[in-house]
Amino acid sequence: MIIPAFAARSLPRFARASCRAGPRLASGRNITRFAGAKRGSDWAAFHNGRSAHAYSTTSPLQDDILDIVKSEIDVEVSSGNMEMPEELSDLKRQLTVNWKIVDDEDSATIQLYLNDKKVQLSFHCQDTVPDPLEEEEDDMEAEDGEEDEPASDVRFTVTQTKAGKTLVFNCITAEEGVQIEGVATSKQDVDAIHAQQGTLEKSSYEGPEFLDLDERLQSSFYEYLEKELKVSSDVTDFIAMYTDYKEQQLYTQFLKDVEAMVS
């Protein structure tokens, strides 16, 4: 039998059991990695031991899907993956001094608004950028029998709106804090810019290649992000950590939705 691809996904790095320290963030915080079973690893035992559905109104295929999904939900709930890690909870509370954090439970995009300024930050919990070197290391570890998931950098967009124009920074979280991919200006609606994850209209000038800018201007943009727009290492740590937590919430909800649709 071919096991569906999602049944082989790794549990998130914030799982409460069998954990080890992962890469350090800019502030020195560790991203915790889960070194235990893969998602779906309990399915075979569960499936082989399940009782027959003598009077089931579902097909054998539906029963198989439901068994896998229910087993996955049980694993996610029993492992404590639905709870926000204490370190992330503390960091979120610290950020609310300067930022208003908006997280719609049905949305994969998280919005942050800087108090008293027309500054907005957004990121999508699946818009990650895997490090090729970490992928190679992960492949080597997998050959040695280790099963952990490498940390990924996360893309995010920061905007500042003034007099009908918006300054747009497209960035990536990085070990040193933040990496700027590009800077542009736009007259587009700022909410539309964030809805498109920082992508401007096709007819718009997307700004110069950032690395082609004068190095002094590049440095000034980094300083402006940190000092004027308050995009500190705490903010980038929050983005990296919250991405894992949010993806876990949505993954579990996905399983529950599949269960409701298939049954």
Side-chain angles (χ1 to χ4, degrees), residues 39-52:
R39 281 178 177 167
S41 62
D42 294 336
W43 171 78
F46 183 89
H47 177 267
N48 293 334
R50 68 182 175 88
S51 59

Side-chain angles (χ1 to χ4, degrees), residues 116-231:
D116 302 326
K117 289 189 178 182
K118 293 186 177 180
V119 176
Q120 186 172 343
L121 183 154
S122 67
F123 61 96
H124 188 288
C125 72
Q126 290 180 303
D127 194 6
T128 57
V129 186
D131 186 331
L133 293 178
E134 288 186 346
E135 286 187 327
E136 291 178 9
E137 292 174 359
D138 189 52
D139 290 339
M140 294 175 64
E141 290 174 349
E143 292 177 0
D144 294 335
E146 296 185 22
E147 300 179 345
D148 62 331
E149 182 180 343
S152 297
D153 293 329
V154 185
R155 291 188 179 91
F156 65 97
T157 299
V158 183
T159 59
Q160 180 184 29
T161 304
K162 184 177 182 180
K165 290 187 178 181
T166 299
L167 183 61
V168 183
F169 289 88
N170 285 314
C171 308
I172 300 176
T173 61
E175 188 173 353
E176 61 273 16
V178 61
Q179 175 184 334
I180 298 176
E181 284 192 300
V183 181
T185 59
S186 175
K187 291 183 178 180
Q188 274 183 254
D189 177 73
V190 67
D191 290 330
I193 294 173
H194 284 277
Q196 296 298 319
Q197 296 171 245
T199 302
L200 304 181
E201 295 174 340
K202 290 184 178 180
S203 60
S204 299
Y205 175 59
E206 297 181 351
E209 290 291 333
F210 186 74
L211 294 179
D212 290 341
L213 293 173
D214 186 296
E215 291 184 359
R216 294 171 299 174
L217 183 55
Q218 292 182 44
S219 297
S220 295
F221 276 138
Y222 277 107
E223 189 173 4
Y224 188 76
L225 264 180
E226 181 177 2
K227 293 185 177 180
E228 296 297 327
L229 306 188
K230 307 301 181 184
V231 181

Side-chain angles (χ1 to χ4, degrees), residues 56-160:
S56 175
T57 59
T58 55
S59 69
L61 177 57
Q62 287 174 297
D63 290 340
D64 282 344
I65 292 174
L66 289 171
D67 284 345
I68 298 169
V69 168
K70 289 176 180 177
S71 178
E72 284 287 277
I73 293 173
D74 289 344
V75 169
E76 300 302 323
V77 174
S78 63
S79 63
N81 293 334
M82 301 301 294
E83 299 176 8
M84 182 180 293
E86 183 177 354
E87 184 177 15
L88 177 56
S89 180
D90 291 342
L91 182 56
K92 182 179 180 182
R93 184 165 51 253
Q94 293 173 23
L95 290 185
T96 56
V97 173
N98 291 319
W99 294 90
K100 176 184 177 182
I101 301 171
V102 178
D103 179 9
D104 182 341
E105 64 178 15
D106 296 323
S107 175
T109 299
I110 295 86
Q111 306 275 357
L112 282 74
Y113 299 88
L114 187 62
N115 296 336
D116 302 326
K117 289 189 178 182
K118 293 186 177 180
V119 176
Q120 186 172 343
L121 183 154
S122 67
F123 61 96
H124 188 288
C125 72
Q126 290 180 303
D127 194 6
T128 57
V129 186
D131 186 331
L133 293 178
E134 288 186 346
E135 286 187 327
E136 291 178 9
E137 292 174 359
D138 189 52
D139 290 339
M140 294 175 64
E141 290 174 349
E143 292 177 0
D144 294 335
E146 296 185 22
E147 300 179 345
D148 62 331
E149 182 180 343
S152 297
D153 293 329
V154 185
R155 291 188 179 91
F156 65 97
T157 299
V158 183
T159 59
Q160 180 184 29

